[in-house]
Each structure stands twice: as structure tokens, then as C-alpha cells.
Amino acid sequence: MVNILNKEIPNELNELTIQQFEDITEIHSNPKLDHVEKHLEVFKYMGVPEEIEDVDFETFKDYIQLFNTAKAPEGILLKRFEADGYTYQAYDEDWKLSAKETKLIEKILNNKHKGYISEVLAVLFKRTDLGKNEHYTDAHVKFKAKIIRELPAEVAVPYLVAVAETINKQVQSLNEPTE
């Protein structure tokens, strides 16, 4: 937590929810906002008083730097979590992306609509009491994404990195000439 204009706001990935992380990411990716506007919008979203607009620019830069002191997570992929009496599991022994998961995740990433980060995780985490086909229906992915948005953001970042690295490797191997 950091204190900005006497308001405690979360800034560490274990303090932010995935929903908050998604919303902050969306603000920062808005091409209609300039650099200063993006930070003002993030602060307002996090509940910082409107007076943030009236502080001198040097103080504003200090607040940005303070907010951005969050440490990167250690890259540990959460294996499973419990919600509403159900277990959601991403992998058994070693984490791998299946062809089906890759296809669905690429579709989500190409669209990058609001909430896409939690939907990527919803593809990866499967409810252990359901069969193979139910995991990937649009309705179930949206339902799981809603649950996942409440998890700490520190769950999402290692998966986003792992997914990006894995898909990049898969694409490179598909483009390599065969002998």
C-alpha cells in the first residue's frame, strides 16, 4: 500500500485484484490518453482524491514513482484455488499449454477486450468436477473469469509471462523449415 494525498491505495500485485489490474492495464493502453492523463485516471480509479490534479508536477511525479514501486512476482504459477466450494486447477505435474488452450487464448489475445486477462486464466483453470467439454464453453469461461477477477493480481502476471513465452516458442517452431 502507498499513501497518496492521505489515501491508502494498493499498488503491490498481492494487494490488487485481477479486476483492478485489468482496469489499470486498460487505462494505460488507452491511446486517447496522454502519459499524464493515464496516471491521473489510474489514481482517480484507485480512489485518490480529485485534488491530485492540483498538486505541482514534481509532487505528481513523486506519486507516480511511489505507486510504481511494486515488485514483480516471483513467477510461481498457482496450481489450484478454491472458490464457492469448487476446486479450479491449472495443471497436475508440469504446466503446459494444449493446442486447444492455445487456440482459445490466441483468440482472446487478438481481441484484447475488457477482461481479457481473467478470460485467459479462465481457459487455463478448470473446475475439477467437470468433464473436458464443459471447461471451454463461452458461458463457463465467462463464469470462471468473473471468479478469477477477485484473485490477487500476483496470480495473473506469472501466467501471462508463461503464456506469452510458450506461444512465442510454439509460433517459432511452426515457422522453422522442415528437413
Side-chain angles (χ1 to χ4, degrees):
M1 293 279 199
V2 293
N3 189 308
I4 299 177
L5 293 178
N6 297 316
K7 172 74 176 173
E8 288 286 320
I9 60 170
N11 74 320
E12 294 289 339
L13 293 174
N14 64 347
E15 299 167 342
L16 293 165
T17 65
I18 291 175
Q19 175 74 60
Q20 290 170 316
F21 182 74
E22 285 178 325
D23 292 343
I24 291 168
T25 301
E26 185 174 349
I27 291 168
H28 278 293
S29 67
N30 184 343
K32 295 178 183 174
L33 299 176
D34 66 34
H35 188 70
V36 173
E37 288 175 307
K38 289 176 183 182
H39 290 292
L40 284 170
E41 288 302 312
V42 167
F43 287 150
K44 289 177 191 175
Y45 168 74
M46 298 304 294
V48 173
E50 292 280 329
E51 292 82 38
I52 189 71
E53 292 183 349
D54 300 326
V55 301
D56 68 85
F57 193 71
E58 289 304 313
T59 303
F60 183 68
K61 284 185 352 186
D62 291 343
Y63 286 146
I64 292 170
Q65 191 173 18
L66 181 64
F67 183 75
N68 289 337
T69 59
K71 298 168 207 70
E74 295 181 26
I76 298 169
L77 299 175
L78 179 70
K79 191 173 188 174
R80 71 177 62 86
F81 69 91
E82 304 278 330
D84 299 328
Y86 296 103
T87 300
Y88 296 86
Q89 185 165 315
Y91 62 96
D92 289 319
E93 298 301 318
D94 295 316
W95 181 79
K96 294 177 185 151
L97 268 180
S98 71
K100 185 171 192 159
E101 289 169 336
T102 302
K103 174 187 82 163
L104 293 170
I105 289 170
E106 283 187 333
K107 187 176 177 183
I108 293 166
L109 292 176
N110 287 335
N111 186 338
K112 285 205 177 171
H113 55 280
K114 185 174 177 69
Y116 75 93
I117 295 171
S118 53
E119 285 190 22
V120 166
L121 292 172
V123 169
L124 300 174
F125 282 93
K126 294 142 190 88
R127 214 169 87 181
T128 57
D129 66 315
L130 295 179
K132 190 174 183 175
N133 292 330
E134 292 94 349
H135 297 306
Y136 303 111
T137 65
D138 286 342
H140 192 61
V141 167
K142 298 264 188 231
F143 174 76
K144 289 187 291 184
K146 187 176 175 183
I147 293 168
I148 287 169
R149 284 186 186 101
E150 302 305 315
L151 295 175
E154 68 183 348
V155 170
V157 174
Y159 272 106
L160 294 175
V161 171
V163 165
E165 288 174 353
T166 302
I167 289 176
N168 284 337
K169 285 178 190 171
Q170 290 171 344
V171 168
Q172 285 176 344
S173 70
L174 288 174
N175 291 330
E176 290 176 357
T178 56
E179 293 184 32

